[in-house]
Amino acid sequence: MRKIFAFLLAYFPVSLFSQDIVIKDGWKFKTGDEPQWSYANFNDSGWAQIEVGKPWELQGYPGYDGFAWYRLHVVIPSTIKEKSFLKEKIRFDLGKIDDGDDVFLNGSMLGRNAGRGGDIKKGPYDIPRSYTIPLNDRRIKWDADNVIAVRVYDHGGDGGMYEGNYGISVTDVTDYISIITNQPFEFGPSRKITKKIGLQSTTDQYDFTGKLGIAIVDPVSGTTVFKQTIGADFAKNRPFEYTFSANLPETKSWQVVYHFVEDRSGKDITVSEGIPYILTPPIGKEPRINGPKVYGARQGAPFLFRIAATGEKPLSYEAVGLPQGLQLDKKTGIISGSINAKGNTVAKLTVKNKSGVASRKLTIICGDNICLTPALGWNSWNCWGLSVNDEKVRTSARAMFEKLADHGWSYINIDDGWEKNRNQQGEILANEKFPDMKSLCDYVHSLGLKIGIYSSPGTLTCGGFTGSYQHEKQDVQTYAQWGIDYLKYDWCSYAQVAPEHPSVDDLKKPYLTMRDALKETNRDIVFSLCQYGMGEVWNWGPEVGGNSWRTTGDITDSWKSLSGIGFSQYKSAPKTLPGHFNDPDMLVVGKVGWGPSLHNTRLTPDEQYTHISLWSLLSAPLLIGCDMNQLDSFTLNLLENDEVLAIDQDPQAKPAKKIYDKNKIQVWTKELEDGAIAMGIFNMDDLANKQQLSLKELNLAGSVKLRDVWRQKNIGAFTNLSVQLPPHGVWLLKAVSSSLSQKTSK
Ligand code: GAL
């Protein structure tokens, strides 16, 4: 049994997706739009090869928006019908498509995914395409060449068949059954976990019986520490529910595997999930000052900085040596006012409570540069998508204030979906979901937090709302009147304004216009560029005034997306500078959803540790993408580890380097201000990875003192490391007393 589970774990880390034929390879591609490209007998031999599961932007079509077609020739063997138990339907899984699609099988329409009013140009980019037809449908040519033709329209950003599962399968008993695992784990004393799971059927044609196996496995050693098999009996309106409990031997990565075998057909279904485990130690009673150690502001601009400090409340705050023009509210820790002369000031911050005193220096640099350390905040997109509204933003601000602001988190950023149209004077108006932007900004500021907004240099944003094209100055004035502190500026429909093959100067142009508009206001507005990395933006982001710039397309909550984005940052990482950061996109931890309904991130707990560790090493802006009102204890543990955040916020913002890449282990390091080296050892493998690493190989000489950063614990001095990592896991360390040469691995 153990072996079977280990095998399943290795191959189906999240869920089993049964496909008789995998159709990943052999796709042909052409930009444009011709009706005959759907025909079975159309000669596509001159078309380019393309990979599915990757946007076309990354495959030689940078910045391409508009129509394009994919074609695939595939033989569908009749044996797949024969081996199925219920001989009913055939399914074509074509992954997610950005943005809309029409799909043809041998020249006849199989299905389409379009947006409002059947408009292919507004298709739902985030929904897996799955088209099902009866086995006796005349469009299928059994045991012969079939042509699947996919017509795609992309209106901006990444395009094409960019992610997902690609296969043809005969639907079977198991397609009607789901193992429901969405109830949260509950945690009790002595590492007790309890969880309710279920089995559900989506058909009223059959009742099901079978056996459900539950096993808890150590993903590194393969040892099973808990096993139970129970009989299950369910139908459409009669789901099966079961609650299991187990005591885990240690606080570390564990996986639960659920395996259901259906009685009549003998077909089975497997789902596995990681059990969240908390590494961040509980917050102490004594005061501790967190957040940035260096802060940039412009002369005369309204200044707002809340001293971030943890410790038992009430806390009292002091600041000695603040620049002229600034005052501290000793009860709230909010420093406000405006600085009337340029220059650097080192202020001494002190925070007291009945358990003790903490002091720290804060360097305030009044000059032309702001956002000297990466922004720490929240953005509405990865949870609410276009359904964001005033109430959701206020709730998020409140939750940030109550749960995370003491760790240095401060920005509350509204993404796309707030805009309406322009009034007669051309001023941008917020839509009915945001009845009073000024009062919303005031509310966020009253908590000592800052607020951000979103627009596009084009006429329309990516969500189809009004953009800033030819209204840049006016929009910035409006933002400044409202009290906005951060602007995400997203290329989107500017593609229609720019030449078809934009040069680097063309790419810079809209950002220079907005930079100049921002310079004219009296507010410090962080400028966040979003154009998906086109023209290697990291080489010129600072020149166009960018405090950060997205380096890739949008992130989603999958390992493929996370690792594809995160581990490709070695290209841009050398360009990291204080005040100018690569932005590998927002965080996908907690409850995410890109719209009104949310789900738990599909990343495993280990992948989430990897996410936060890598983003911190990269000095990336950390923008939480989940519902702030539903922060569970695991997600909070990811976001409130002050030693991890200090790596991200290190004032020197030295570039992260990939110094080792062998046997599916990558090691990334970053030199810190205090002379120590932060080091992330990442397991790229879908399986556990056990290796001995000599610290010499990592360019660390002699015996090196190491600190486990997530656990906030010194672990001793080493010359060799025994690395034992779960699938996609990380060990984040801080090395002291070392000499690290500057070698970088490609
Ligand atoms: C995308 C952008 C996302 C989000 C979205 C809004 O282009 O990359 O982060 O802002 O537009 O429509």
Side-chain angles (χ1 to χ4, degrees), residues 125 155-158 379 381-382 385-386 415-417 454 461-465 488 490-492 530-532 550 552-555 585-586 594:
Y125 75 92
H155 72 65
D158 279 354
N379 172 294
W381 184 250
N382 289 356
L386 297 175
D415 206 278
D416 204 356
Y454 167 98
T461 65
C462 288
F465 290 83
K488 172 172 169 183
D490 192 353
W491 179 267
C492 301
C530 178
Q531 47 83 288
Y532 340 112
R550 282 272 299 280
T552 67
D554 289 15
I555 198 165
D585 206 2
M586 300 170 291
W594 293 269

Side-chain angles (χ1 to χ4, degrees), residues 53-108:
K54 210 180 192 184
W56 63 50
E57 274 77 2
L58 300 180
Q59 305 187 67
Y61 306 89
Y64 180 74
D65 297 329
F67 280 105
W69 284 69
Y70 290 72
R71 282 173 59 93
L72 178 78
H73 293 258
V74 59
V75 174
I76 307 181
S78 49
T79 47
I80 64 171
K81 278 198 273 202
E82 280 132 35
K83 73 172 212 242
S84 76
F85 184 77
L86 308 172
K87 302 181 180 356
E88 288 177 355
K89 290 181 216 152
I90 185 165
R91 186 178 65 213
F92 297 81
D93 290 309
L94 298 172
K96 295 181 180 176
I97 298 181
D98 197 344
D99 290 287
D101 60 282
D102 288 325
V103 176
F104 301 86
L105 178 64
N106 300 321
S108 310

Side-chain angles (χ1 to χ4, degrees), residues 8-201:
L8 291 167
L9 267 178
Y11 288 92
F12 311 114
V14 180
S15 76
L16 183 95
F17 215 89
S18 70
Q19 283 168 337
D20 295 309
I21 310 169
V22 176
I23 49 168
K24 265 212 92 148
D25 300 323
W27 288 86
K28 300 273 187 81
F29 181 75
K30 195 168 169 68
T31 56
D33 190 29
E34 298 292 338
Q36 66 272 24
W37 293 352
S38 71
Y39 301 169
N41 58 1
F42 174 78
N43 180 1
D44 57 23
S45 57
W47 284 27
Q49 300 280 349
I50 195 156
E51 276 178 55
V52 291
K54 210 180 192 184
W56 63 50
E57 274 77 2
L58 300 180
Q59 305 187 67
Y61 306 89
Y64 180 74
D65 297 329
F67 280 105
W69 284 69
Y70 290 72
R71 282 173 59 93
L72 178 78
H73 293 258
V74 59
V75 174
I76 307 181
S78 49
T79 47
I80 64 171
K81 278 198 273 202
E82 280 132 35
K83 73 172 212 242
S84 76
F85 184 77
L86 308 172
K87 302 181 180 356
E88 288 177 355
K89 290 181 216 152
I90 185 165
R91 186 178 65 213
F92 297 81
D93 290 309
L94 298 172
K96 295 181 180 176
I97 298 181
D98 197 344
D99 290 287
D101 60 282
D102 288 325
V103 176
F104 301 86
L105 178 64
N106 300 321
S108 310
M109 179 85 120
L110 191 62
R112 70 182 327 220
N113 258 288
R116 268 171 281 161
D119 186 355
I120 189 178
K121 299 189 175 173
K122 292 189 179 146
Y125 75 92
D126 199 31
I127 294 176
R129 273 42 166 185
S130 214
Y131 299 101
T132 307
I133 53 174
L135 284 183
N136 59 7
D137 191 294
R138 301 259 290 279
R139 283 171 286 186
I140 313 163
K141 295 187 205 162
W142 292 102
D143 299 311
D145 185 46
N146 289 266
V147 173
I148 301 171
V150 185
R151 174 184 185 237
V152 181
Y153 183 84
D154 172 38
H155 72 65
D158 279 354
M161 299 176 69
Y162 71 100
E163 185 183 282
N165 291 296
Y166 302 91
I168 303 176
S169 44
V170 174
T171 59
D172 216 332
V173 170
T174 46
D175 289 293
Y176 295 118
I177 300 172
S178 341
I179 301 180
I180 311 292
T181 61
N182 59 359
Q183 292 294 319
F185 283 93
E186 277 166 30
F187 302 92
S190 315
R191 290 183 291 274
K192 182 173 177 191
I193 55 136
T194 304
K195 174 152 174 145
K196 191 199 247 181
I197 51 160
L199 283 162
Q200 211 162 32
S201 145

